[in-house]
Amino acid sequence: MSLGRLIAVATALLIAIACGALALGIGVVMDPVLRDLLGTLGLSGLEAVLSDLAEGYPPDPAMIEGALSLGRAILLLVAVPPALNAVVGEVLGWRALAWYGGATGLLTALLPWLMRGAGGPAGTGEGRVTALLFCAGGIAGLVYWLAAGRFAGRGPATMWAAPRR
């Protein structure tokens, strides 16, 4: 793999991860149940932090650790599936739209289930969250395919030629 291809893959992954995160954020805001949950948790937590800061107290370490854990979980959900599928697709030379969009969406949707040991549904909104994660992962995979995946496995001379049908 040439240096130019590595740069193209890295740039495409950054764009895909950003688009997946944006899709996840839009989905959470548009889903009424998740929006209400986020509003309840987010506003109460924000109010607690701001009131502590206003009174001169440092923020609660447990709240900071909780926010960092949530950030890590979101990063894991939006970054790992596109990166893993991009590596597999590049190594095997796969250029299929279904691989990048479908497999990335499926892996993103299954990741929470795999992390907790594939137990049954954790709550009533599990199906909504799974569908939202599938859509966000699918969007990230499709964006990666548009930017770099359709050229996977091609040599430097044919990378910018028209894709095979």
Side-chain angles (χ1 to χ4, degrees):
M1 185 181 286
S2 69
L3 179 61
R5 182 70 187 152
L6 285 174
I7 292 171
V9 167
T11 304
L13 270 175
L14 288 175
I15 294 168
I17 290 168
C19 288
L22 182 64
L24 183 63
I26 289 171
V28 167
V29 169
M30 292 190 71
D31 186 320
V33 174
L34 294 174
R35 183 179 57 227
D36 291 343
L37 177 65
L38 181 67
T40 302
L41 295 176
L43 292 179
S44 65
L46 182 62
E47 180 200 2
V49 169
L50 290 178
S51 67
D52 283 349
L53 290 175
E55 293 175 12
Y57 298 114
D60 184 21
M63 183 147 322
I64 292 173
E65 184 60 36
L68 289 175
S69 295
L70 179 65
R72 279 186 230 123
I74 291 172
L75 182 64
L76 175 76
L77 283 173
V78 299
V80 170
L84 181 64
N85 286 337
V87 167
V88 170
E90 289 293 325
V91 168
L92 298 177
W94 292 346
R95 292 188 285 274
L97 174 64
W99 166 254
Y100 291 103
T104 304
L106 186 63
L107 183 58
T108 304
L110 289 178
L111 204 53
W113 292 66
L114 295 172
M115 295 293 289
R116 70 169 186 257
T124 58
E126 183 79 21
R128 292 179 136 179
V129 172
T130 301
L132 176 61
L133 290 174
F134 178 79
C135 290
I139 288 171
L142 292 175
V143 168
Y144 177 81
W145 177 81
L146 282 171
R150 58 192 171 147
F151 306 115
R154 291 187 175 191
T158 61
M159 188 166 126
W160 301 111
R164 287 190 287 177
R165 302 227 184 246

